[in-house]
Amino acid sequence: MILSIESSCDDSSIAITEIESKRLVFSKRISQAEIHSEYGGVVPELASRLHLEALTSILEEIKEFIPNLKAISVTTEPGLLVTLVEGVTMAKALSIALKLPIIGVNHLKGHIYSLFIEKELEEFPMLILLVSGGHTQLIEMSDWNSFKVIASTLDDSLGESYDKVAKMLKLPYPGGPVIEKLAQNGDENRFAFPVPLSQSPKMAFSYSGLKNAVRLEIQKLDEVTEQDKSDISASFQKSATQHIIQKLKKYLKTGKTGVKKFGIVGGVSANLYIRGELEKLLSNFNIPLIAPELKYCSDNGEMIGRFAIERFIRGERDELEKIDIKSRSLL
Ligand code: KG4
Ligand code: ZN
């Protein structure tokens, strides 16, 4: 079994996965979202202290599995340095005390592997849309650890734009789930927000212009009613999603992809409206959409363990001294 630790942002999570069967034997996540919600976003120092408490309390529960462990894995990058350090220190301590190898995992690869939790890998090449609080990327995955970024955001990420629009509407953090819910009762045609980069041939994403267009509309309203909030949410979500659909359509139309499946991952992949719109587009190209179970869309230790298993079975180990943390990193 492999033990995996995730602490890159505001979720403290530990999972234990059987290496051969890929089956989870233990997993627990303690989310801090409600606590940070009071401050309108994640407060790094507070998150760090909460991880200290949460990770140690979860560790108390896994004692019975310790004799079966073959490796310790941990998220090392990208993320908040003061929270990554909590998980990495714990992982290093476990590695030394239990004399087990350590495997560092890139959080973005972890999100991609949320598609394979308790499953075998898919056939490659695949296309991946990674949409989270920090990233918006279209990625070609040609093998278990071969990734090519086709398009990235020029400014804000999709998740961030949901969070910022929610803040403008005085809604709680994280904004994504709240906006999605409000949008269900909203008129998506009431506000004609621009679809970003719709006139540009660039394979890139951008959300700052759309965010500002939403801000201007909100300023025009004397008083923001509940219906206004729903209509703004629906209209924003429509433009934000159309942006992805337009860029993806353009890419798929080149016909050079040959992809077997399309995966959507990251916190925003929990959004059923976006999943639905993607499915409609992809069906025209006969490409099946796959997505993680809803509980694996946001940060979790299970996805970290799943990628670590692929490294482990190929004999990959990291040197303890070389395990470091990074706030930013590529795939
Ligand atoms: O992957 P994640 O948990 O953390 C990062 O690695 O960033 O993603 C968090 C982001 C937040 O911006 C949150 O608002 C967004 O995912 N999110 C959603 C939904 N659920 C979470 N965005 C849109 N619709 C949702 N249902
Ligand atoms: Zn994440």
Side-chain angles (χ1 to χ4, degrees), residues 6 8-9 107-108 111 132-133 266-267 297-300 303:
E6 157 64 37
S8 68
C9 190
H107 182 78
L108 307 178
H111 271 299
S132 69
C297 291
S298 49
D299 298 342
N300 62 83
M303 67 188 193

Side-chain angles (χ1 to χ4, degrees), residues 11 107 111 132-134 159-160 162-163 174-177 180 266-268 270-271 297-299:
D11 290 293
H107 182 78
H111 271 299
S132 69
E160 202 178 351
Y162 268 89
D163 294 336
E180 181 185 13
V268 187
N271 188 295
C297 291
S298 49
D299 298 342

Side-chain angles (χ1 to χ4, degrees), residues 2 104-105 156 245 271:
I2 202 158
V105 174
D156 293 352
I245 299 292
N271 188 295

Side-chain angles (χ1 to χ4, degrees), residues 137-157:
Q137 292 187 326
L138 183 65
I139 299 155
E140 200 175 275
M141 182 177 187
S142 52
D143 202 354
W144 75 278
N145 194 18
S146 302
F147 307 92
K148 183 177 152 204
V149 176
I150 293 159
S152 286
T153 179
L154 303 172
D155 40 62
D156 293 352
S157 73

